[in-house]
């Protein structure tokens, strides 16, 4: 669970969607050659959901609408680019790609919902598109996601 101090660091609209009782979160900054203390911190965030979420056409259709509305309420100029079922290793996964603005940063997001027998993981990679090493950030996120072992 995030501490009160950590919660205060999040934008207000993100804090509104966080519930400590139902959300386990891991935030990892991805150090890059372009990083400095004033730049956007590229990251890979992992949320564990205690139930498996079966991927099917109805769920994909529902999540397309729900996620688009939710992200539009959370981020400036959110644009849903792709939502599709794909594979992460041997697991089916729902891949969501989008773009949005935070302050003066243009951010890309790649998110995966990966259900297993006992739980589901939501992995979100976010990065500043203006950095020269954006491809390296995507690669680091992809490698991290592909090495996961799910229950």
């Amino acid at each position: 669970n995030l501490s009160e101090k950590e919660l205060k660091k999040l934008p207000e609209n993100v804090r509104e969607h966080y519930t400590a009782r139902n959300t386990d979160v891991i935030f990892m900054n991805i150090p890059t050659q372009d990083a400095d203390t004033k730049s956007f911190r590229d990251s890979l965030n992992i949320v564990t959901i205690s139930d498996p979420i079966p991927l099917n056409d109805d769920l994909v259709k529902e999540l397309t609408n729900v996620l688009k509305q939710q992200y539009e309420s959370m981020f400036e100029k959110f644009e849903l680019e792709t939502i599709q079922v794909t594979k992460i290793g041997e697991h089916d996964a729902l891949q969501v790609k989008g773009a949005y603005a935070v302050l003066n940063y243009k951010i890309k997001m790649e998110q995966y919902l990966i259900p297993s027998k006992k739980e589901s993981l939501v992995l979100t990679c976010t990065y500043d598109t203006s950095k020269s090493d954006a491809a390296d950030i995507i690669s680091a996120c992809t490698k991290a996601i592909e090495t996961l072992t799910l229950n």
Side-chain angles (χ1 to χ4, degrees):
N1 295 339
L2 296 177
S3 69
E4 196 61 37
K5 183 178 177 183
E6 291 168 321
L7 279 172
K8 287 181 181 177
K9 291 180 184 178
L10 297 175
E12 183 177 341
N13 54 0
V14 174
R15 283 194 308 263
E16 290 173 8
H17 296 280
Y18 175 82
T19 56
R21 212 178 24 202
N22 300 325
T23 311
D24 289 329
V25 182
I26 299 172
F27 294 101
M28 294 183 285
N29 291 330
I30 301 172
T32 63
Q33 64 187 18
D34 288 357
D36 61 41
T37 57
K38 295 180 183 174
S39 66
F40 178 84
R41 291 190 179 190
D42 307 304
S43 64
L44 173 62
N45 305 323
I46 304 169
V47 176
T48 303
I49 300 169
S50 59
D51 296 313
I53 300 173
L55 294 181
N56 57 49
D57 291 341
D58 290 338
L59 177 72
V60 172
K61 185 176 179 181
E62 181 182 350
L63 282 177
T64 299
N65 295 327
V66 169
L67 291 175
K68 189 172 187 317
Q69 289 175 2
Q70 184 179 25
Y71 290 141
E72 285 175 348
S73 75
M74 293 171 62
F75 303 115
E76 293 176 44
K77 301 176 186 172
F78 178 79
E79 181 182 329
L80 181 62
E81 297 173 345
T82 305
I83 187 164
Q84 63 184 3
V85 176
T86 188
K87 287 274 192 191
I88 299 292
E90 61 190 44
H91 297 277
D92 288 333
L94 182 65
Q95 178 187 50
V96 179
K97 290 185 178 185
Y100 58 93
V102 171
L103 302 174
N104 293 323
Y105 302 108
K106 292 181 181 175
I107 307 302
K108 286 276 192 177
M109 170 198 79
E110 290 191 26
Q111 187 171 65
Y112 297 87
L113 166 62
I114 308 170
S116 66
K117 293 176 185 172
K118 297 181 182 179
E119 62 191 9
S120 298
L121 297 178
V122 178
L123 298 100
T124 307
C125 181
T126 55
Y127 54 94
D128 180 357
T129 60
S130 69
K131 292 184 180 175
S132 63
D133 57 356
D136 294 337
I137 297 162
I138 297 165
S139 177
C141 285
T142 302
K143 285 178 186 175
I145 291 167
E146 289 174 347
T147 61
L148 289 174
T149 302
L150 302 173
N151 296 325

